[in-house]
Structure formats: C-alpha cells, structure tokens
Amino acid sequence: MSAPGCGAIVDGWDTGDVMSSEQTQSTGTPGRYQRSAAGLVVSLVVTVAAIGALLYFMGAFRPDFEAKPTAVDYLDTVEALQLSDQHPVYPAALPDGWIATSVTVPTEKEPFFMVGMLNDDDEFVAVRQEDASFGAMLAGSVDEETEPADGYTVPASVGRPVARDWEGYTDAGGDTAYLAEVGDQTVMVFGSAPAKDLHAVIDALTAAKIRP
C-alpha cells in the first residue's frame, strides 16, 4: 500500500504523486471557476442588452419637461375691468389655433393692460394698452432701439376699428410693433409673429362691452 502523497503503481504504470480526493478537499483551497472566452462574450452581450433596455425604458417613459402653455380666458378679465369702469382694448376673438397665455391688469406698479398670445406656430403676439408715449411703449416691451417700418391701415371692410391707421416699428431681433392712439391712451400690437398675424389682431380689436 502506497504511502500518502507517494506514487502508486497500477497495472505496472507509475501514476506519480497523485493526491487523493480526500487530500484535495482537506487543503482548504477553494475551487476556481474557469470562465471560457465564449462565456465572457455572452455575459458582455447580456449586460449591454440589459443596459440598452433600461435606457430605452427610461427614454420612453421620461416625462416631457418642455412646458406647454396653458390657455387663459382673457375675456373674463376684460369683463371684470369693464365692471370697474375701465375700458380695455382687446381682441374680440382669436384666429383658429391661437391661445391667450397671459393677461396683465393695470396696477400702480404696472399701469397697463396687456393680453399675451401664441399663434398656431407658437410665435408671440401681444396687445398692450397704456397712457404712455409711443417711445415709452416701444422701450418697455419691444426694444429701446427700434426703427420705423411700414405702417398698417385697417381695411374698410372692418367696421368701426378702434383706430384706422397704425404706425409700424421693428427692432434688430426681428420683432414688429404697430401703435395707434385710442382715446387718451396708446395701444400697441407687437411680437415675433409675422406682420400678417399682427394685422389680424389689429382688425379684431374692440373696446365694446362684453355684456352691453
């Protein structure tokens, strides 16, 4: 019988120093997992696929943080001002696809009335009414440096406009403004929208009471 750790002769063959299974287990050396190259590739592919799926899921269900404008009912504000003996000039109606996004009522700090709108291409248009000069109105809402531009005359087909003739101005940023005197105040229609859109707002302006 061979001593432990010594070679053994089996059927005439010298097996060399071979440790028994009992000896191997008793060494306390942990077994090692031999990972093949194919196994590594499969693991990498699975990992990449999992990350891609996670990114897709996050992108598909991520909320849209681009703020969407909320429409306001500016006619309610106009009616309230009329009931308090004020006379705001406002668009009787907006073109299809447009929304009003803000209304400013006169206060001691901001003594003007203004309705802000977006056209159907999300371009800004506003109507501002104030007891101020043309220059002050332009500097306050358009630009301190503006240039005279073509004016606008409301067509005869529009009955009883708040003003027939409007002076035009532009600034370096591409904004356009039209101004006219209405009673003892100045009304300005301005914005980044095309001139034809500003003309449509001018044509729709009125000071009529909502509830006669």
Side-chain angles (χ1 to χ4, degrees):
M1 181 173 183
S2 299
C6 297
I9 299 176
V10 179
D11 295 335
W13 293 92
D14 188 352
T15 61
D17 292 340
V18 179
M19 299 182 69
S20 67
S21 60
E22 290 83 357
Q23 287 177 302
T24 302
Q25 292 172 358
S26 65
T27 61
T29 303
R32 295 182 180 179
Y33 172 68
Q34 300 297 321
R35 179 175 293 178
S36 66
L40 284 172
V41 171
V42 171
S43 296
L44 287 174
V45 170
V46 171
T47 301
V48 171
I51 294 174
L54 176 62
L55 293 176
Y56 174 81
F57 179 85
M58 293 176 64
F61 293 96
R62 181 175 60 245
D64 184 1
F65 291 107
E66 183 179 347
K68 300 298 183 182
T70 301
V72 300
D73 191 345
Y74 69 96
L75 295 178
D76 282 349
T77 303
V78 168
E79 183 177 10
L81 291 173
Q82 290 175 341
L83 291 174
S84 63
D85 294 328
Q86 298 188 53
H87 307 283
V89 173
Y90 62 96
L94 300 181
D96 290 341
W98 289 40
I99 61 171
T101 57
S102 64
V103 183
T104 303
V105 298
T107 63
E108 290 186 5
K109 186 177 181 180
E110 296 182 328
F112 61 87
F113 170 74
M114 187 164 74
V115 179
M117 298 160 276
L118 291 176
N119 67 6
D120 50 2
D121 289 325
D122 290 336
E123 295 168 313
F124 179 71
V125 182
V127 177
R128 176 166 174 160
Q129 177 185 0
E130 186 177 359
D131 183 7
S133 66
F134 284 16
M137 295 275 280
L138 290 167
S141 291
V142 182
D143 199 314
E144 292 184 354
E145 297 183 3
T146 56
E147 296 291 336
D150 292 338
Y152 176 65
T153 298
V154 177
S157 58
V158 177
R160 303 183 66 180
V162 295
R164 184 69 65 180
D165 297 314
W166 297 72
E167 292 186 14
Y169 295 86
T170 59
D171 69 1
D175 291 335
T176 303
Y178 295 96
L179 298 96
E181 292 184 357
V182 179
D184 58 356
Q185 297 197 323
T186 299
V187 175
M188 178 171 67
V189 177
F190 66 99
S192 58
K196 64 180 180 63
D197 287 352
L198 304 183
H199 298 168
V201 173
I202 291 174
D203 292 348
L205 291 179
T206 182
K209 286 187 174 295
I210 293 180
R211 295 188 181 182

